[in-house]
Amino acid sequence: MPPAPLLLSLSDIAVLARVQRPVVSTWRRRYPDFPAPMAESGNRTWFDGRMVADWLVSSGLGNTPAEEVGAELAAHSLARIADGIGAQRLVSVLGALLCLRHMLEEPLSDIAEADLIRRAERMDPGDEFFARELTEDPGLSVRLAPLAEELVEAAYTVGGAHEHLMANRHRLGLTGPDTGSLSSELRRLVVRVADPLGHASPEGVLAVADPHALCGDLLHDAVTALDDPSEAIALGAERREELARLTRRRLLLAGVDDLRLDVQVGTEVEYQMADTGLVVTLLPYEPGESRSRARVLEAIESLGDLLVPGGTAVVVGPADALVGKLDDREAQIRSRLLQGGLVESVTTLPGGADPYRPGYGCALWTLRREPVPAARGRVLISDIGSRDLDEDVVRTLAEDILIWRAEGYHRFGGHEPRHGLSVAIDTLEKKFGAPLVPRGLSMSSASSRTVRDRPALIAEAEGRLSRAEARARASADEHGPLRGGLMRRIGPAPEQVTVGELVRQGRLVQVKGHRIAAEHITSRGQLDVLGPEEVVGRAPRGGRRIDRLVLASEYPHVALTEPGDVVYTTGPEFGVVVDHEGSSVVAFPARVLRVAPRARQALTPRVLALLLEGAAGVQRSPGAVRAVRGIGEVALPDLHPKEAARLDAVLAEAERRRALLDAQYAELDTIRRLTAAGFGDGTLAVPVS
């Protein structure tokens, strides 16, 4: 049966195309071939999702790569269905359909209920993988079969379709502590540290196990790192039966032979099936108030009992148990692990390792049965807790651990870790129960250019500070103290005029800010981006930039600021700044007030900014949604041109002096930052005078 049309709202289309919502409205107005709406309900308009996807691919618009549009559309379909039948049921039935299709090697789009039941029972007679999911509600299975085919078409392979389903499981609502949710970066780190290829036999066979399989993320990643996943033996255990069955299907679709995989329901892995050379696991999550650090360490101890000589275990677990301070009972368990020579490396991980529990700190341990002689009696301790888990950190940390595994400790001439230290176990035992964190820097870090050059960089900043102070003194000698000659006004105050009236008179021009996608803003572009943070002074100008080519291709309608434009924002608080140089991009909700050339004698940009700062009603009161009045209603004194010129001169002199002070503040901040880093890692000292 043909699949029912997937209806998308304008907001849905924006998500599909990875653009802001107003961009879609612009497309509707600008492009006559934009798909016509299919339905309307209330104030929402609905479009055929497949027509929209085809239009995005053919037009080349949006930020979603053409090869990913189909998969994103399928994800929208999944989300709508999950709202109706539940995420777990949807993932289970779709996964079962994909597994049946894999075994049949033929499409399921037009299959009847009776045929589906018969084929499911024939292909899975022992109900190991999918028979139960497909026969419990064959009507639902038949209705979802076309969607399964769409997933396969979008991903090109059945295994790829199932992985797309797994990648979207949290988006569908399959969340919770029991489903696993490690970040993709941490999963890559685990696989690199585990080194599946290095643990395969000479014949290419790898036996890998996970006693806490959850949804099978780490098992899947380990077997797919092999040249031929069919050579893997995959063993696992999972307490929840539906997740154990899901993991079996996932491994089967990854290429593991059904006779070479075994995922038990419970906590015991069927290790008799093969000698396990590699264990990868994420210890089950427990809330902090009920978590037992002793139980976590005992779980790691039990993993070590299962390793064969030369075998490795890579374990991710709670940081408080793995690297934190322990009481005597907990420290005794950790001491047994250390003294037994089982612990190979300990790494403190950055926050966000589990994106769905950002407050849950994690650490990574590797265990090794019979390490190389040069590694015995020592542990590699690393700390990347303050680093982003980017590709460079993943690569260098994995290299540190793998080289340590292969070579061990060499006092002279060996590899120096980039992120930690080799520590003697006897040294750790003297600090019984203390946190497992590296004390000081490795030799390679201490001799790195950043650390080595710190004293020179501080000296250079001190030299620049001296020159900035000299310029400030010379300016003070030349110009004397600041004397604006301001005095109390005698006589009537100037007439008031609103900003809106100044705009209507042509003395001011209002220019809107632009919606710029976050992914297009970097620190390396050619054009400054001025948004609310820069305008109110919470972020320095120049910290956010956009590439000129990106601006021209993605935002052809955006005009740059002109010298003297007054950039203002009313949210989250009022702020105003003069862009003297121009050639910046103003990011919404910031906006521009531009003094018209013919009005500059009576109203300069500096004077306008000052008057806006002093105007009543532009600031929000605490808890207010918006200011008392909009910018167009703000009343300003209509100064005489001569008085405006005198005020502008005072403001210009104040700005000049402020720039001299800012140059000194910048160098002082540099000196403080470098000094703090140097004393923080123990590489700087104050000489005895």
Side-chain angles (χ1 to χ4, degrees):
M1 66 178 67
L6 170 65
L7 298 182
L8 301 181
S9 67
L10 292 173
S11 297
D12 294 331
I13 296 172
V15 173
L16 177 65
R18 300 177 189 172
V19 298
Q20 297 293 324
R21 162 66 178 77
V23 174
V24 182
S25 296
T26 302
W27 289 344
R28 287 189 69 194
R29 293 193 304 268
R30 183 174 296 177
Y31 298 100
D33 61 339
F34 189 88
M38 297 286 291
E40 293 187 7
S41 61
N43 60 350
R44 304 194 77 180
T45 305
W46 300 94
F47 300 80
D48 186 306
R50 293 174 183 84
M51 294 176 64
V52 170
D54 291 342
W55 184 84
L56 288 172
V57 172
S58 63
S59 67
L61 295 172
N63 298 315
T64 305
E67 64 273 14
E68 297 180 18
V69 170
E72 279 295 314
L73 182 65
H76 278 280
S77 299
L78 296 175
R80 295 282 172 80
I81 297 171
D83 287 341
I85 67 173
Q88 180 66 70
R89 191 178 182 194
L90 173 64
V91 170
S92 294
V93 175
L94 269 178
L97 285 165
L98 292 170
C99 212
L100 176 60
R101 189 192 190 284
H102 168 74
M103 287 191 166
L104 290 174
E105 297 183 345
E106 61 183 40
L108 301 174
S109 298
D110 299 322
I111 195 169
E113 287 188 21
D115 287 339
L116 184 140
I117 294 173
R118 184 173 63 256
R119 294 182 185 184
E121 292 174 344
R122 175 168 60 86
M123 301 305 297
D124 188 22
D127 191 24
E128 291 283 330
F129 299 98
F130 53 79
R132 181 184 316 174
E133 287 81 1
L134 297 181
T135 58
E136 281 180 345
D137 187 349
L140 175 64
S141 300
V142 169
R143 290 197 301 275
L144 292 181
L147 181 55
E149 289 300 323
E150 285 190 16
L151 288 173
V152 174
E153 183 179 353
Y156 302 110
T157 66
V158 180
H162 195 267
E163 284 313 297
H164 179 76
L165 182 64
M166 298 311 305
N168 283 281
R169 67 181 187 265
H170 297 291
R171 182 172 168 184
L172 302 177
L174 187 60
T175 58
D178 294 333
T179 62
S181 56
L182 291 183
S183 69
S184 58
E185 295 82 5
L186 181 52
R187 286 172 57 181
R188 284 198 297 272
L189 174 64
V190 169
V191 172
R192 289 198 182 189
V193 170
D195 187 23
L197 285 171
H199 287 85
S201 70
E203 295 77 25
V205 177
L206 170 72
V208 57
D210 185 348
H212 310 288
L214 301 174
C215 288
D217 288 335
L218 297 181
L219 273 177
H220 170 272
D221 293 351
V223 300
T224 54
L226 298 174
D227 295 331
D228 184 1
S230 67
E231 294 295 328
I233 298 173
L235 311 176
E238 171 50 42
R239 291 173 295 180
R240 291 176 57 184
E241 184 177 15
E242 62 269 29
L243 295 187
R245 293 173 65 84
L246 184 155
T247 300
R248 290 177 202 151
R249 293 191 292 269
R250 192 173 185 183
L251 293 171
L252 188 69
L253 292 174
V256 181
D257 190 279
D258 61 335
L259 299 178
R260 299 166 74 96
L261 71 87
D262 188 296
V263 181
Q264 297 285 321
V265 178
T267 58
E268 298 296 326
V269 175
E270 187 58 56
Y271 286 101
Q272 288 78 7
M273 188 171 176
D275 289 335
T276 307
L278 181 62
V279 174
V280 289
T281 195
L282 166 65
L283 296 180
Y285 169 79
E286 292 182 294
E289 57 270 17
S290 60
R291 185 185 308 136
S292 166
R293 294 192 293 255
R295 192 162 57 243
V296 169
L297 293 166
E298 287 169 347
I300 292 181
E301 198 171 26
S302 67
L303 291 177
D305 296 338
L306 303 171
L307 289 177
V308 299
T312 300
V314 182
V315 188
V316 177
D320 58 352
L322 300 188
V323 297
K325 182 177 176 58
L326 305 178
D327 63 27
D328 286 347
R329 175 171 173 266
E330 298 157 354
Q332 287 173 0
I333 304 173
R334 189 173 76 185
S335 178
R336 287 201 305 267
L337 289 165
L338 293 169
Q339 294 286 4
L342 189 63
V343 183
E344 176 184 64
S345 72
V346 175
T347 303
T348 302
L349 296 171
D354 184 340
Y356 293 88
R357 288 185 291 274
Y360 179 52
C362 291
L364 181 145
W365 275 28
T366 62
L367 313 179
R368 182 76 170 175
R369 179 66 67 190
E370 296 186 5
V372 295
R376 291 172 186 167
R378 304 186 74 87
V379 177
L380 179 64
I381 300 181
S382 304
D383 184 355
I384 57 170
S386 62
R387 304 289 299 274
D388 290 331
L389 201 57
D390 56 24
E391 177 59 27
D392 181 63
V393 171
V394 168
R395 177 182 55 80
T396 54
L397 177 62
E399 287 175 356
D400 286 349
I401 296 174
L402 292 176
I403 294 174
W404 171 256
R405 183 177 301 161
E407 299 180 357
Y409 174 71
H410 297 277
R411 185 170 183 180
F412 301 106
H415 172 76
E416 281 293 340
R418 273 69 59 88
H419 300 286
L421 291 169
S422 163
V423 182
I425 292 174
D426 291 344
T427 301
L428 296 175
E429 290 297 284
K430 292 176 184 177
K431 299 176 180 178
F432 195 69
L436 290 182
V437 293
R439 305 285 178 175
L441 291 179
S442 66
M443 289 297 293
S444 63
S445 296
S447 61
S448 69
R449 177 166 186 148
T450 300
V451 172
R452 188 177 64 245
D453 289 353
R454 252 184 219 140
L457 294 173
I458 292 174
E460 289 176 2
E462 290 171 342
R464 292 193 299 269
L465 175 62
S466 296
R467 291 191 291 273
E469 290 173 337
R471 288 194 298 272
R473 286 194 296 270
S475 176
D477 292 341
E478 178 182 354
H479 299 281
L482 178 65
R483 293 287 186 265
L486 302 179
M487 56 181 288
R488 181 178 176 82
R489 184 180 294 277
I490 304 298
E495 295 288 333
Q496 297 281 311
V497 59
T498 66
V499 171
E501 184 60 28
L502 290 171
V503 172
R504 287 189 289 273
Q505 293 174 4
R507 296 165 66 186
L508 289 182
V509 178
Q510 282 186 303
V511 182
K512 294 181 179 179
H514 308 286
R515 298 180 186 270
I516 307 296
E519 61 266 23
H520 293 150
I521 298 177
T522 69
S523 60
R524 299 182 300 276
Q526 297 84 32
L527 303 173
D528 288 347
V529 175
L530 299 180
E533 294 296 310
E534 288 82 8
V535 173
V536 300
R538 292 181 180 173
R541 175 168 179 166
R544 299 193 308 153
R545 315 197 83 187
I546 187 169
D547 186 271
R548 191 182 296 275
L549 292 177
V550 171
L551 185 74
S553 60
E554 298 291 335
Y555 310 96
H557 59 287
V558 170
L560 302 180
T561 57
E562 297 180 4
D565 277 355
V566 176
V567 185
Y568 73 94
T569 182
T570 57
E573 60 185 277
F574 181 79
V576 60
V577 67
V578 180
D579 184 12
H580 291 292
E581 298 84 5
S583 297
S584 302
V585 178
V586 176
F588 181 85
R591 298 175 175 86
V592 170
L593 284 174
R594 180 175 298 155
V595 180
R598 68 178 182 83
R600 288 234 172 178
Q601 282 188 335
L603 186 64
T604 69
R606 291 190 186 92
V607 171
L608 173 61
L610 181 79
L611 297 180
L612 286 171
E613 287 179 5
V618 293
Q619 296 285 359
R620 300 184 190 183
S621 60
V625 175
R626 58 178 62 87
V628 176
R629 53 184 62 90
I631 195 72
E633 302 172 24
V634 173
L636 307 176
D638 195 3
L639 300 179
H640 188 277
K642 290 184 178 180
E643 185 174 16
R646 291 194 299 270
L647 178 56
D648 186 79
V650 173
L651 296 175
E653 177 61 15
E655 281 184 8
R656 190 185 63 78
R657 292 173 181 258
R658 173 66 182 265
L660 292 170
L661 291 175
D662 285 345
Q664 297 178 59
Y665 288 140
E667 301 307 333
L668 289 169
D669 287 343
T670 298
I671 293 168
R672 182 178 179 84
R673 174 176 53 80
L674 292 170
T675 303
F679 275 88
D681 59 27
T683 59
L684 285 183
V686 180
V688 178
S689 57

